[in-house]
Amino acid sequence: MPIPSDDDDAALFREAIGPVKPLPESSPAPSKPKPRALARMAERDEQDARSEFQRGLDDLSALAAGDTLSYRRDSVPPAVFQRLKRGRFSAQDELDLHGATLLQAESMLRHFLAEAHAHEFGCVRIIHGKGQRDDGGMPVLKNLVDRVLRQRADILAFHSAPAAQGGTGAALVLLARR
């Protein structure tokens, strides 16, 4: 075999390497994974729940700043409800909604109640404020708390807290056990 000249670098390389064996044919590279399917039904259910919630807000009369929140399921004995009204239950957790917008407060409230239920708390306190404004507007957060608590199956009863625990600016909530 003739010796290649220094000018032919490719020939020098092939001579240094020697014979090569071609690689076997491989399958094509995997394509990008398909995007996850959207949970359209869950989104639709959430949207329906929000619109139903809004209709519930529109249907019921609004509470004023000094009004008392009060609700009891038929399964709750009157004596237990009286204890709740008097603040005889110890609140195991507390949520303060001061400064939150309506949407933030709704999200915070739902999350708080889910956590309280998961921890199997019996009684919690929700501070919504009295909503007394100079412009005479309705207490938005107080009305939100009233509507959300009435709609939940895991709420047995609720009542505005005694004066020493927040009065009409807070609510004591009795939760159902699992």
Side-chain angles (χ1 to χ4, degrees), residues 96-113:
D96 190 344
L97 297 174
H98 280 109
T101 65
L102 186 67
L103 289 175
Q104 290 171 336
E106 180 184 357
S107 176
M108 290 167 59
L109 181 57
R110 290 184 190 282
H111 180 74
F112 173 74
L113 292 172

PDB file of all heavy atoms in Angstrom, residues 96-113:
ATOM      1  N   ASP A  96     -57.878  34.011  59.853  1.00  0.00           N
ATOM      2  CA  ASP A  96     -58.174  35.443  59.822  1.00  0.00           C
ATOM      3  C   ASP A  96     -58.222  35.891  58.366  1.00  0.00           C
ATOM      4  O   ASP A  96     -57.223  35.811  57.653  1.00  0.00           O
ATOM      5  CB  ASP A  96     -57.100  36.218  60.588  1.00  0.00           C
ATOM      6  CG  ASP A  96     -57.473  37.681  60.808  1.00  0.00           C
ATOM      7  OD1 ASP A  96     -58.400  38.180  60.130  1.00  0.00           O
ATOM      8  OD2 ASP A  96     -56.831  38.324  61.651  1.00  0.00           O
ATOM      9  N   LEU A  97     -59.367  36.368  57.921  1.00  0.00           N
ATOM     10  CA  LEU A  97     -59.569  36.770  56.526  1.00  0.00           C
ATOM     11  C   LEU A  97     -59.390  38.264  56.294  1.00  0.00           C
ATOM     12  O   LEU A  97     -59.601  38.733  55.179  1.00  0.00           O
ATOM     13  CB  LEU A  97     -60.975  36.346  56.069  1.00  0.00           C
ATOM     14  CG  LEU A  97     -61.241  34.853  56.054  1.00  0.00           C
ATOM     15  CD1 LEU A  97     -62.702  34.573  55.740  1.00  0.00           C
ATOM     16  CD2 LEU A  97     -60.338  34.158  55.060  1.00  0.00           C
ATOM     17  N   HIS A  98     -59.010  39.018  57.329  1.00  0.00           N
ATOM     18  CA  HIS A  98     -58.834  40.469  57.176  1.00  0.00           C
ATOM     19  C   HIS A  98     -57.884  40.767  56.019  1.00  0.00           C
ATOM     20  O   HIS A  98     -56.831  40.155  55.897  1.00  0.00           O
ATOM     21  CB  HIS A  98     -58.261  41.090  58.459  1.00  0.00           C
ATOM     22  CG  HIS A  98     -59.281  41.316  59.504  1.00  0.00           C
ATOM     23  ND1 HIS A  98     -59.331  40.555  60.643  1.00  0.00           N
ATOM     24  CD2 HIS A  98     -60.291  42.206  59.594  1.00  0.00           C
ATOM     25  CE1 HIS A  98     -60.333  40.982  61.400  1.00  0.00           C
ATOM     26  NE2 HIS A  98     -60.936  41.971  60.784  1.00  0.00           N
ATOM     27  N   GLY A  99     -58.276  41.704  55.177  1.00  0.00           N
ATOM     28  CA  GLY A  99     -57.410  42.164  54.100  1.00  0.00           C
ATOM     29  C   GLY A  99     -57.478  41.325  52.835  1.00  0.00           C
ATOM     30  O   GLY A  99     -56.876  41.680  51.830  1.00  0.00           O
ATOM     31  N   ALA A 100     -58.181  40.210  52.851  1.00  0.00           N
ATOM     32  CA  ALA A 100     -58.263  39.352  51.666  1.00  0.00           C
ATOM     33  C   ALA A 100     -59.363  39.849  50.732  1.00  0.00           C
ATOM     34  O   ALA A 100     -60.367  40.400  51.173  1.00  0.00           O
ATOM     35  CB  ALA A 100     -58.552  37.914  52.083  1.00  0.00           C
ATOM     36  N   THR A 101     -59.154  39.644  49.437  1.00  0.00           N
ATOM     37  CA  THR A 101     -60.210  39.950  48.476  1.00  0.00           C
ATOM     38  C   THR A 101     -61.246  38.833  48.567  1.00  0.00           C
ATOM     39  O   THR A 101     -61.016  37.803  49.205  1.00  0.00           O
ATOM     40  CB  THR A 101     -59.660  40.011  47.039  1.00  0.00           C
ATOM     41  OG1 THR A 101     -59.205  38.703  46.668  1.00  0.00           O
ATOM     42  CG2 THR A 101     -58.535  41.026  46.912  1.00  0.00           C
ATOM     43  N   LEU A 102     -62.353  39.014  47.886  1.00  0.00           N
ATOM     44  CA  LEU A 102     -63.422  38.013  47.915  1.00  0.00           C
ATOM     45  C   LEU A 102     -62.924  36.667  47.398  1.00  0.00           C
ATOM     46  O   LEU A 102     -63.150  35.632  48.034  1.00  0.00           O
ATOM     47  CB  LEU A 102     -64.618  38.502  47.097  1.00  0.00           C
ATOM     48  CG  LEU A 102     -65.864  37.635  47.149  1.00  0.00           C
ATOM     49  CD1 LEU A 102     -66.458  37.655  48.551  1.00  0.00           C
ATOM     50  CD2 LEU A 102     -66.891  38.100  46.151  1.00  0.00           C
ATOM     51  N   LEU A 103     -62.227  36.662  46.270  1.00  0.00           N
ATOM     52  CA  LEU A 103     -61.732  35.403  45.706  1.00  0.00           C
ATOM     53  C   LEU A 103     -60.654  34.777  46.583  1.00  0.00           C
ATOM     54  O   LEU A 103     -60.627  33.566  46.778  1.00  0.00           O
ATOM     55  CB  LEU A 103     -61.202  35.619  44.286  1.00  0.00           C
ATOM     56  CG  LEU A 103     -62.267  35.908  43.236  1.00  0.00           C
ATOM     57  CD1 LEU A 103     -61.634  36.229  41.889  1.00  0.00           C
ATOM     58  CD2 LEU A 103     -63.227  34.739  43.105  1.00  0.00           C
ATOM     59  N   GLN A 104     -59.751  35.590  47.114  1.00  0.00           N
ATOM     60  CA  GLN A 104     -58.720  35.077  48.015  1.00  0.00           C
ATOM     61  C   GLN A 104     -59.356  34.474  49.260  1.00  0.00           C
ATOM     62  O   GLN A 104     -58.974  33.398  49.711  1.00  0.00           O
ATOM     63  CB  GLN A 104     -57.758  36.192  48.429  1.00  0.00           C
ATOM     64  CG  GLN A 104     -56.850  36.684  47.342  1.00  0.00           C
ATOM     65  CD  GLN A 104     -56.093  37.941  47.777  1.00  0.00           C
ATOM     66  OE1 GLN A 104     -56.531  38.680  48.668  1.00  0.00           O
ATOM     67  NE2 GLN A 104     -54.965  38.194  47.124  1.00  0.00           N
ATOM     68  N   ALA A 105     -60.324  35.183  49.822  1.00  0.00           N
ATOM     69  CA  ALA A 105     -60.979  34.721  51.046  1.00  0.00           C
ATOM     70  C   ALA A 105     -61.703  33.403  50.807  1.00  0.00           C
ATOM     71  O   ALA A 105     -61.644  32.496  51.642  1.00  0.00           O
ATOM     72  CB  ALA A 105     -61.951  35.783  51.557  1.00  0.00           C
ATOM     73  N   GLU A 106     -62.375  33.281  49.674  1.00  0.00           N
ATOM     74  CA  GLU A 106     -63.085  32.030  49.377  1.00  0.00           C
ATOM     75  C   GLU A 106     -62.106  30.869  49.282  1.00  0.00           C
ATOM     76  O   GLU A 106     -62.328  29.800  49.847  1.00  0.00           O
ATOM     77  CB  GLU A 106     -63.875  32.156  48.075  1.00  0.00           C
ATOM     78  CG  GLU A 106     -64.627  30.885  47.731  1.00  0.00           C
ATOM     79  CD  GLU A 106     -65.329  30.956  46.394  1.00  0.00           C
ATOM     80  OE1 GLU A 106     -65.303  31.992  45.726  1.00  0.00           O
ATOM     81  OE2 GLU A 106     -65.913  29.921  46.013  1.00  0.00           O
ATOM     82  N   SER A 107     -61.003  31.084  48.584  1.00  0.00           N
ATOM     83  CA  SER A 107     -59.991  30.037  48.438  1.00  0.00           C
ATOM     84  C   SER A 107     -59.374  29.681  49.791  1.00  0.00           C
ATOM     85  O   SER A 107     -59.220  28.502  50.124  1.00  0.00           O
ATOM     86  CB  SER A 107     -58.909  30.516  47.470  1.00  0.00           C
ATOM     87  OG  SER A 107     -57.889  29.568  47.380  1.00  0.00           O
ATOM     88  N   MET A 108     -59.028  30.707  50.562  1.00  0.00           N
ATOM     89  CA  MET A 108     -58.435  30.481  51.887  1.00  0.00           C
ATOM     90  C   MET A 108     -59.402  29.716  52.790  1.00  0.00           C
ATOM     91  O   MET A 108     -59.006  28.797  53.508  1.00  0.00           O
ATOM     92  CB  MET A 108     -58.068  31.824  52.540  1.00  0.00           C
ATOM     93  CG  MET A 108     -56.907  32.528  51.898  1.00  0.00           C
ATOM     94  SD  MET A 108     -56.725  34.250  52.442  1.00  0.00           S
ATOM     95  CE  MET A 108     -56.506  34.092  54.194  1.00  0.00           C
ATOM     96  N   LEU A 109     -60.672  30.091  52.742  1.00  0.00           N
ATOM     97  CA  LEU A 109     -61.681  29.461  53.592  1.00  0.00           C
ATOM     98  C   LEU A 109     -61.856  27.989  53.225  1.00  0.00           C
ATOM     99  O   LEU A 109     -61.871  27.120  54.093  1.00  0.00           O
ATOM    100  CB  LEU A 109     -63.005  30.215  53.472  1.00  0.00           C
ATOM    101  CG  LEU A 109     -64.168  29.702  54.308  1.00  0.00           C
ATOM    102  CD1 LEU A 109     -63.819  29.677  55.792  1.00  0.00           C
ATOM    103  CD2 LEU A 109     -65.398  30.569  54.067  1.00  0.00           C
ATOM    104  N   ARG A 110     -61.975  27.702  51.947  1.00  0.00           N
ATOM    105  CA  ARG A 110     -62.140  26.309  51.507  1.00  0.00           C
ATOM    106  C   ARG A 110     -60.927  25.466  51.878  1.00  0.00           C
ATOM    107  O   ARG A 110     -61.058  24.340  52.336  1.00  0.00           O
ATOM    108  CB  ARG A 110     -62.410  26.259  50.006  1.00  0.00           C
ATOM    109  CG  ARG A 110     -63.785  26.803  49.649  1.00  0.00           C
ATOM    110  CD  ARG A 110     -64.090  26.673  48.167  1.00  0.00           C
ATOM    111  NE  ARG A 110     -65.279  27.382  47.778  1.00  0.00           N
ATOM    112  CZ  ARG A 110     -66.516  26.953  47.985  1.00  0.00           C
ATOM    113  NH1 ARG A 110     -66.719  25.808  48.578  1.00  0.00           N
ATOM    114  NH2 ARG A 110     -67.548  27.671  47.594  1.00  0.00           N
ATOM    115  N   HIS A 111     -59.738  26.025  51.682  1.00  0.00           N
ATOM    116  CA  HIS A 111     -58.506  25.303  52.035  1.00  0.00           C
ATOM    117  C   HIS A 111     -58.430  25.082  53.548  1.00  0.00           C
ATOM    118  O   HIS A 111     -58.094  23.989  54.007  1.00  0.00           O
ATOM    119  CB  HIS A 111     -57.287  26.082  51.536  1.00  0.00           C
ATOM    120  CG  HIS A 111     -55.994  25.427  51.856  1.00  0.00           C
ATOM    121  ND1 HIS A 111     -55.549  24.305  51.201  1.00  0.00           N
ATOM    122  CD2 HIS A 111     -55.053  25.713  52.782  1.00  0.00           C
ATOM    123  CE1 HIS A 111     -54.390  23.940  51.706  1.00  0.00           C
ATOM    124  NE2 HIS A 111     -54.069  24.780  52.665  1.00  0.00           N
ATOM    125  N   PHE A 112     -58.748  26.107  54.313  1.00  0.00           N
ATOM    126  CA  PHE A 112     -58.712  26.009  55.774  1.00  0.00           C
ATOM    127  C   PHE A 112     -59.673  24.928  56.284  1.00  0.00           C
ATOM    128  O   PHE A 112     -59.316  24.108  57.134  1.00  0.00           O
ATOM    129  CB  PHE A 112     -59.067  27.365  56.389  1.00  0.00           C
ATOM    130  CG  PHE A 112     -59.218  27.353  57.881  1.00  0.00           C
ATOM    131  CD1 PHE A 112     -58.111  27.268  58.708  1.00  0.00           C
ATOM    132  CD2 PHE A 112     -60.474  27.430  58.462  1.00  0.00           C
ATOM    133  CE1 PHE A 112     -58.254  27.264  60.090  1.00  0.00           C
ATOM    134  CE2 PHE A 112     -60.624  27.424  59.843  1.00  0.00           C
ATOM    135  CZ  PHE A 112     -59.504  27.336  60.654  1.00  0.00           C
ATOM    136  N   LEU A 113     -60.883  24.913  55.739  1.00  0.00           N
ATOM    137  CA  LEU A 113     -61.869  23.923  56.180  1.00  0.00           C
ATOM    138  C   LEU A 113     -61.450  22.508  55.784  1.00  0.00           C
ATOM    139  O   LEU A 113     -61.654  21.560  56.549  1.00  0.00           O
ATOM    140  CB  LEU A 113     -63.245  24.258  55.613  1.00  0.00           C
ATOM    141  CG  LEU A 113     -63.886  25.532  56.186  1.00  0.00           C
ATOM    142  CD1 LEU A 113     -65.147  25.888  55.422  1.00  0.00           C
ATOM    143  CD2 LEU A 113     -64.159  25.380  57.669  1.00  0.00           C
TER     144      LEU A 113
END
